[in-house]
């Protein structure tokens, strides 16, 4: 691992990953962050490393073939870690198109450029030989597996059954990555992680949204009965898992990532209120998200047994640290929530009438 292309590095997980790599991985000569800076991208997340000589930011679109091609020529990447995506399920319900172009076409554009630069005989469609040590890692999600009932867990062999436009776009991208491995022998991995929480998460997602609203004594909009279950993992544990797959993962394999931390949404919301000393009367039940997946749970046996990865955070420590991080970074939150976010919030939640 020497020259790394990270896409979407100005977002929540991507910016945590860049910090992680520059701190933990000695073998990084150059790390290029390609990010379009959509509403979700924020260079403030990377302010402390912007002068690191190993790091460079490029503003651009993963769907821009000429740009991506030029970057491969200029920087001779040997590793691609692809985070860039439209990532919010609620937005995908209102505006699916951009999810399909960014998440599917963007992935194919990156794969094509990597194939051209890494294949020893790029003009020969039968050749499956690649440069030594190159690898493309697709950051996917547990949502591609669909929803679980009261029991069971997602394994890497669970059939894909996405339910939202977001998860359908991520599942489609996974299929494209798989096809490039099967057809062209591309050296790829796919990781499928459960819900992340931690610093720098955009306050449209459950945990930072509830912290922000509670701090301002605003209603906390809980969808439906609030008993949907997610399997929470601290973002730093996700980063260490991706690093583990990059260094030890078997080429062509899919790895699920999760920390065995199933929680109902209502439990999380109550925990946030208790930690902030706010009343439960702020909880407001609103109409459910259409197509809402009831439960996710990740079986992480493959990555733990085969690659020796394990999460370091307990949920109790992680959520406490995260709440304290948001309390200590009110400027960061206010700069986001004072702009376009106001329109987003009105459009998304004014129509979500309270349940009777
Ligand atoms: P995010 O929305 O916080 O960040 C996405 C980043 O991608 C932003 O910086 C944005 O500017 C950039 N981007 C969007 N479109 C782009 C384009 N066309 N070209 C270049 N950059 C573009 O997302 P996140 O929560 O950090 O998620 C990162 C990845 O991890 C996504 O692929 C997501 O599907 C996956 N994932 C997320 C979670 C989670 O809980 N957040 C869990 C599992 C997997
Ligand atoms: O599972 C991994 C996925 O987790 C990632 O692939 C996605 O990018 C990420 O956004 C996340 O998806 P979810 O839909 O699970 O996350 P979200 O934070 O939007 O919602 C978590 C749960 O909380 C979900 O059951 C919906 C509920 N919810 C969410 C919001 C924003 C509410 O009840 N009220 C809300 O206002």
């Amino acid at each position: 691992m020497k020259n790394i292309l990270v896409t979407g590095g100005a977002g929540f997980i991507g910016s945590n990953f860049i910090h992680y790599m520059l701190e933990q991985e000695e073998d990084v000569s150059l790390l290029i962050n390609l990010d379009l800076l959509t509403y979700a991208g924020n260079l403030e997340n990377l302010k402390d490393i912007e002068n690191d000589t190993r790091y460079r930011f490029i503003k651009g679109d993963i769907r821009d073939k000429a740009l991506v091609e030029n970057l491969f020529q200029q920087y001779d990447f040997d590793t691609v870690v692809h985070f860039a995506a439209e990532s919010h399920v609620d937005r995908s319900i209102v505006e699916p198109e951009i999810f399909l172009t960014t998440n599917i076409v963007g992935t194919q554009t990156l794969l094509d450029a990597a194939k051209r630069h890494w294949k020893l005989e790029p003009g020969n469609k039968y050749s499956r030989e690649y440069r030594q040590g190159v690898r493309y890692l697709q950051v996917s999600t547990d949502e591609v597996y669909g929803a679980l009932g009261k029991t069971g867990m997602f394994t890497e062999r669970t059939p894909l059954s996405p339910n939202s436009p977001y998860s359908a776009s991520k599942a489609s991208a996974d299929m494209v990555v798989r096809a490039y491995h099967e057809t062209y022998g591309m050296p790829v991995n796919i990781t499928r992680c459960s819900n992340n929480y931690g610093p720098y998460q955009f306050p449209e997602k459950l945990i930072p949204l509830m912290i922000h609203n509670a701090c301002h004594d605003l209603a906390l909009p809980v969808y439906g009965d609030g008993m949907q279950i997610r399997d929470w993992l601290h973002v730093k544990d996700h980063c260490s898992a991706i690093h583990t797959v990059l260094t030890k993962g078997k080429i062509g394999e899919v790895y699920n990532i999760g920390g065995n931390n199933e929680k109902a949404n209502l439990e999380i919301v109550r925990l946030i209120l208790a930690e902030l000393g706010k009343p439960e009367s702020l909880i407001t039940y609103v109409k459910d998200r259409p197509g809402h997946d009831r439960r996710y749970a990740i079986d992480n046996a493959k990555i733990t047994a085969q690659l020796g990865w394990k999460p370091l955070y307990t949920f109790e420590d992680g959520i406490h640290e995260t709440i304290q991080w948001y309390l200590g970074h009110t400027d960061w939150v206010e700069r986001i929530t004072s702009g376009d976010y106001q329109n987003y919030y009105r459009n998304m939640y004014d129509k979500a009438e309270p349940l009777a």
Side-chain angles (χ1 to χ4, degrees):
M1 209 185 316
K2 294 263 185 291
N3 290 358
I4 308 175
L5 173 63
V6 171
T7 68
F12 163 47
I13 307 175
S15 60
N16 276 285
F17 181 73
I18 291 174
H19 280 111
Y20 181 93
M21 288 299 276
L22 294 179
E23 281 159 23
Q24 306 287 330
E25 173 58 63
E26 286 172 7
D27 199 15
V28 176
S29 307
L30 186 65
L31 190 156
I32 298 289
N33 172 15
L34 171 63
D35 196 300
L36 187 56
L37 297 184
T38 67
Y39 78 92
N42 187 349
L43 288 180
E44 254 192 87
N45 303 1
L46 298 156
K47 195 107 198 89
D48 54 329
I49 51 112
E50 67 187 6
N51 295 323
D52 190 313
T53 51
R54 296 168 297 169
Y55 169 74
R56 214 160 299 166
F57 171 69
I58 309 281
K59 182 174 190 299
D61 193 326
I62 51 166
R63 293 163 296 182
D64 182 340
K65 280 188 202 170
L67 169 71
V68 172
E69 179 66 31
N70 282 342
L71 290 177
F72 268 87
Q73 276 186 16
Q74 196 176 346
Y75 296 111
D76 194 25
F77 303 119
D78 48 53
T79 305
V80 175
V81 186
H82 178 33
F83 292 97
E86 289 293 334
S87 69
H88 192 35
V89 174
D90 290 325
R91 288 185 194 253
S92 83
I93 293 166
V94 179
E95 217 177 329
E97 189 176 342
I98 191 165
F99 283 74
L100 271 56
T101 63
T102 296
N103 297 359
I104 308 170
V105 178
T107 296
Q108 184 254 331
T109 305
L110 290 165
L111 284 165
D112 261 353
K115 174 162 76 69
R116 233 181 340 266
H117 285 264
W118 291 348
K119 215 171 149 175
L120 294 182
E121 292 180 80
N124 176 358
K125 78 172 179 185
Y126 298 105
S127 144
R128 298 171 70 84
E129 299 297 313
Y130 287 78
R131 273 170 42 188
Q132 275 296 314
V134 295
R135 191 186 295 248
Y136 173 100
L137 191 148
Q138 177 76 6
V139 180
S140 186
T141 167
D142 60 355
E143 299 204 10
V144 298
Y145 296 122
L148 291 164
K150 284 198 169 68
T151 57
M153 291 180 128
F154 298 133
T155 74
E156 290 80 357
R157 285 184 306 282
T158 303
L160 303 196
S161 185
N163 292 318
S164 72
Y166 162 70
S167 53
S169 70
K170 293 293 291 185
S172 306
D174 285 11
M175 294 290 95
V176 177
V177 175
R178 179 191 144 85
Y180 272 61
H181 176 67
E182 294 297 325
T183 303
Y184 308 116
M186 282 267 302
V188 303
N189 286 115
I190 298 174
T191 56
R192 298 194 179 127
C193 189
S194 58
N195 284 63
N196 284 211
Y197 67 97
Y200 302 117
Q201 188 167 32
F202 195 88
E204 64 189 351
K205 307 281 164 59
L206 179 78
I207 289 179
L209 185 142
M210 296 299 171
I211 296 172
H212 173 71
N213 283 18
C215 287
H216 291 80
D217 298 309
L218 297 168
L220 306 196
V222 170
Y223 298 160
D225 62 2
M227 294 312 289
Q228 303 83 3
I229 289 173
R230 296 292 182 266
D231 188 351
W232 294 93
L233 185 74
H234 194 280
V235 64
K236 287 187 185 155
D237 283 327
H238 187 186
C239 294
S240 74
I242 291 174
H243 184 221
T244 303
V245 174
L246 282 177
T247 48
K248 298 190 198 156
K250 193 168 160 227
I251 293 293
E253 294 290 312
V254 176
Y255 294 96
N256 282 353
I257 303 172
N260 298 319
N261 251 312
E262 289 184 53
K263 303 269 180 238
N265 295 337
L266 203 50
E267 194 183 336
I268 301 229
V269 171
R270 288 196 170 122
L271 199 151
I272 291 170
L273 287 169
E275 172 126 0
L276 293 172
K278 299 286 182 175
E280 291 202 1
S281 55
L282 288 176
I283 295 175
T284 308
Y285 294 93
V286 299
K287 216 166 166 175
D288 208 350
R289 173 188 275 176
H292 199 169
D293 290 334
R294 192 70 181 166
R295 175 172 164 258
Y296 303 144
I298 278 280
D299 179 341
N300 68 8
K302 183 172 173 182
I303 190 169
T304 52
Q306 293 183 13
L307 307 188
W309 171 84
K310 64 174 189 320
L312 295 181
Y313 276 87
T314 62
F315 185 73
E316 290 64 33
D317 289 348
I319 192 74
H320 171 72
E321 192 187 286
T322 301
I323 293 172
Q324 293 308 314
W325 187 89
Y326 280 94
L327 293 179
H329 290 76
T330 48
D331 287 0
W332 182 90
V333 178
E334 296 310 326
R335 270 194 285 280
I336 291 172
T337 52
S338 58
D340 259 1
Y341 182 86
Q342 294 290 331
N343 292 329
Y344 163 79
Y345 198 86
R346 258 193 306 278
N347 287 337
M348 195 60 76
Y349 291 95
D350 282 359
K351 291 190 197 103
E353 317 121 38
L355 289 180

